[in-house]
């Protein structure tokens, strides 16, 4: 039976900046960008990762999309990365603590190879959207890589979940639990209620949200929130639970007519409230 998500479940593990810390103590997250016409999803995720406290966040952009990304980024950094080999070389830097891939990434051969390179690294991962769908045709091989990796969070919506786990049906909690066991990753099955399941059998149900979150790019923000928390050292299951709650709380604080860009301000208010009155 699932626990109901609330800050008391994960507050102890939640990253708090130390008085004498510097930005590298707060982790460095990378976010893969899609091509020149598909860059927004990565930037939404990157901004969210920075907002929840990652010390540095860099968008890794195909060279052809650098100008587009550069014209939109300020605190988030930017680096051109042409192919999987270049990405693997960047990931060799042990100061990189998490990578986020999938939002508006696309399905090119290069995008697929980049995700494969991430799966061969030791850093924590959030895989969302296209980084999930691209494995629908060869899901067993994907699960085997995820199982060896051991530090990934998958964030499918129902459509993406069905592509990866077409044989699973029944109640959402049972499906998420089964998917986590099969994939060896933490599975965050998004929806009006979001289920977070770990490969070891922990399961949490999040009811703290708002239907106003059903808007383009909202899931990209969630991927960034979870990745930003993992970049700071939070374990994948705790980060997924905390991320889903914060995302829901930010949505509630924004209220009617929110669009995904608004969640940045909502997250700031959510974090301020959490730090002002921490759960007991
Ligand atoms: N600003 C941006 O750059 C944005 C980029 N996005 C990117 O656009 C690409 C397509 O993403 P989509 O999710 O639209 O498309 P997908 O084609 O991957 O999935 C949508 C399909 O799944 C079905 N579906 C079933 N249950 C669903 C559920 N609970 N929630 C959503 N869909 C459900 C829908 O009916 C639809 O046919 C991805 O790369 C995504 O990251 C989107 O995230 C929107 C914002
Ligand atoms: N009716 C709803 N009530 C609460 N939250 C919702 C509802 N519909 C969607 N959400 C949340 O909004 C986000 C949508 O993510 P996703 O479908 O990946 O969108 P996108 O691909 O556009 O970013 C998820 O976090 C999901 O849980």
């Amino acid at each position: 039976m699932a626990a109901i998500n609330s800050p008391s479940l994960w507050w102890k593990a939640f990253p708090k900046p130390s008085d004498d810390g510097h930005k590298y103590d707060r982790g460095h997250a990378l976010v893969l960008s899609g091509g020149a016409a598909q860059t927004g999803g990565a930037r939404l995720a990157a901004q969210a990762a920075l907002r929840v406290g990652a010390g540095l966040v860099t968008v890794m952009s195909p060279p052809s999309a650098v100008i587009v990304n550069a014209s939109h980024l300020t605190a988030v950094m930017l680096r051109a990365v042409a192919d999987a080999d270049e990405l693997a070389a960047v990931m060799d830097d042990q100061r990189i603590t998490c990578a986020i891939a999938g939002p508006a990434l696309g399905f090119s051969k290069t995008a697929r190879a980049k995700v494969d390179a991430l799966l061969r690294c030791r850093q924590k991962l959030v895989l969302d959207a296209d980084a999930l769908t691209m494995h629908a045709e060869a899901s067993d091989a994907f699960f085997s890589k995820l199982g060896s990796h051991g530090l990934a969070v998958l964030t499918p919506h129902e459509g993406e979940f069905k592509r990866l786990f077409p044989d699973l049906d029944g109640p959402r909690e049972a499906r998420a639990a089964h998917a986590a066991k099969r994939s060896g990753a933490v599975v965050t099955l998004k929806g009006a209620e979001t289920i977070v399941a770990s490969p070891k059998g922990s399961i949490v149900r999040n009811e703290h949200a708002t239907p106003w979150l059903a808007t383009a790019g909202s899931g990209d923000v969630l991927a960034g929130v979870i990745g930003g928390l993992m970049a700071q050292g939070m374990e994948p299951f705790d980060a997924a639970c905390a991320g889903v709650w914060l995302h829901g709380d930010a949505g509630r604080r924004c209220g009617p007519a929110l669009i995904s860009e608004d969640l940045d301000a909502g997250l700031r208010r959510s974090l301020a409230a959490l730090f002002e009155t921490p759960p007991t």
Side-chain angles (χ1 to χ4, degrees):
M1 175 125 153
I4 301 300
N5 200 9
S6 78
S8 59
L9 292 185
W10 38 260
W11 179 248
K12 261 193 202 149
F14 199 84
K16 293 136 192 129
S18 66
D19 286 346
D20 56 354
H22 57 74
K23 65 188 176 191
Y24 283 96
D25 294 331
R26 305 180 72 190
H28 187 171
L30 302 185
V31 185
L32 301 197
S33 168
Q38 297 166 298
T39 58
R43 285 198 304 275
L44 284 167
Q47 178 80 15
L50 196 64
R51 178 61 71 195
V52 298
L56 306 92
V57 179
T58 303
V59 168
M60 307 298 289
S61 173
S64 60
V66 162
I67 293 289
V68 184
N69 277 313
S71 67
H72 287 91
L73 293 175
T74 305
V76 170
M77 297 181 296
L78 176 61
R79 182 163 174 169
V81 61
D83 57 30
D85 288 344
E86 278 187 24
L87 179 62
V90 175
M91 295 295 286
D92 275 345
D93 182 343
Q94 292 308 306
R95 292 175 302 177
I96 307 295
T97 47
C98 185
I100 301 158
L105 181 61
F107 301 98
S108 68
K109 206 173 149 193
T110 308
R112 289 166 189 266
K114 285 178 180 172
V115 173
D116 222 39
L118 294 183
L119 283 162
R120 288 194 296 272
C121 295
R122 294 211 319 265
Q123 288 96 336
K124 292 169 182 154
L125 297 179
V126 180
L127 300 180
D128 181 41
D130 301 344
L132 302 175
T133 298
M134 67 172 60
H135 294 103
E137 303 296 313
S139 54
D140 285 345
F142 179 45
F143 300 151
S144 147
K145 287 173 195 170
L146 283 170
S148 315
H149 184 279
L151 291 170
V153 175
L154 312 183
T155 54
H157 60 50
E158 281 287 355
E160 289 150 356
F161 187 93
K162 282 196 178 82
R163 289 173 207 147
L164 271 187
F165 305 98
D167 59 315
L168 297 185
D169 53 19
R172 301 182 80 236
E173 284 179 17
R175 284 191 288 130
H178 204 131
K181 281 206 179 94
R182 184 183 294 176
S183 64
V186 169
V187 171
T188 301
L189 175 54
K190 297 179 294 193
E193 290 189 349
T194 292
I195 312 297
V196 183
S198 81
K200 287 188 180 156
S202 302
I203 183 146
V204 162
R205 186 169 83 245
N206 187 75
E207 300 169 345
H208 187 68
T210 164
W212 291 103
L213 282 167
T215 180
S218 158
D220 305 340
V221 172
L222 176 65
V225 171
I226 296 172
L229 295 175
M230 289 208 290
Q232 294 170 80
M234 223 174 172
E235 293 305 317
F237 183 74
D238 286 339
C241 294
V244 166
W245 190 93
L246 269 178
H247 179 256
D249 193 72
R252 285 182 173 214
R253 286 174 193 275
C254 293
L258 83 83
I259 62 169
S260 292
E261 281 99 327
D262 301 334
L263 288 170
D264 185 50
L267 283 167
R268 189 167 180 203
R269 289 168 59 202
S270 299
L271 285 163
L274 256 183
F275 276 88
E276 203 169 306
T277 317
T280 45

